[in-house]
Amino acid sequence: MEKQMEMASETTQNSALRTDEAASHGPPWRLIDCAVTAHANRVKVPVNRKAYLRWCLLGVFGAQRFYAKQWKMGLLYLVTCWSGFSIAMTMIDAMIAVPMKPDENGIIYL
């Protein structure tokens, strides 16, 4: 219990230091820090692995991201569907989902 409290305290201190450093370097660093912090603190969404991989077939339009309730990334895929960006990112999404071990109900956490 004490170790968990120490780790939480260290995390809070590291976060405060990172925020101070980002603030002293200017707006671009604050944006990067905000993105890293948001990604680290995100809630993992449970999705059915088979359904997610099926939605990857429509990945050019961001269908798998909408299915996983990741609306912002889904919109980014949709806006860039004319370029190769969404196709490449869909392939990466599929490569991430395929090796993940689903639970007894076929659920993975993204």
Side-chain angles (χ1 to χ4, degrees):
M1 181 76 160
E2 291 178 19
K3 190 168 188 165
Q4 290 176 344
M5 293 177 73
E6 289 175 15
M7 290 175 58
S9 175
E10 285 180 24
T11 304
T12 304
Q13 290 173 351
N14 289 340
S15 176
L17 287 174
R18 190 172 56 232
T19 303
D20 291 342
E21 290 173 5
S24 67
H25 291 297
W29 290 105
R30 281 188 289 226
L31 287 173
I32 292 169
D33 186 57
C34 181
V36 169
T37 305
H39 181 72
N41 295 332
R42 69 183 165 87
V43 176
K44 294 196 175 198
V45 179
V47 296
N48 185 308
R49 188 174 98 174
K50 288 182 181 179
Y52 184 79
L53 290 173
R54 286 183 192 134
W55 281 111
C56 281
L57 295 174
L58 293 173
V60 174
F61 306 109
Q64 79 278 11
R65 292 296 186 149
F66 287 114
Y67 175 71
K69 296 179 180 64
Q70 297 172 341
W71 310 111
K72 291 177 185 175
M73 286 302 293
L75 286 173
L76 179 65
Y77 282 32
L78 190 60
V79 168
T80 61
C81 68
W82 56 272
S83 69
F85 173 77
S86 60
I87 296 170
M89 294 306 294
T90 297
M91 290 172 54
I92 291 171
D93 290 342
M95 287 189 282
I96 290 171
V98 166
M100 293 179 88
K101 298 287 184 197
D103 63 5
E104 62 276 352
N105 297 324
I107 303 295
I108 58 174
Y109 293 89
L110 298 174

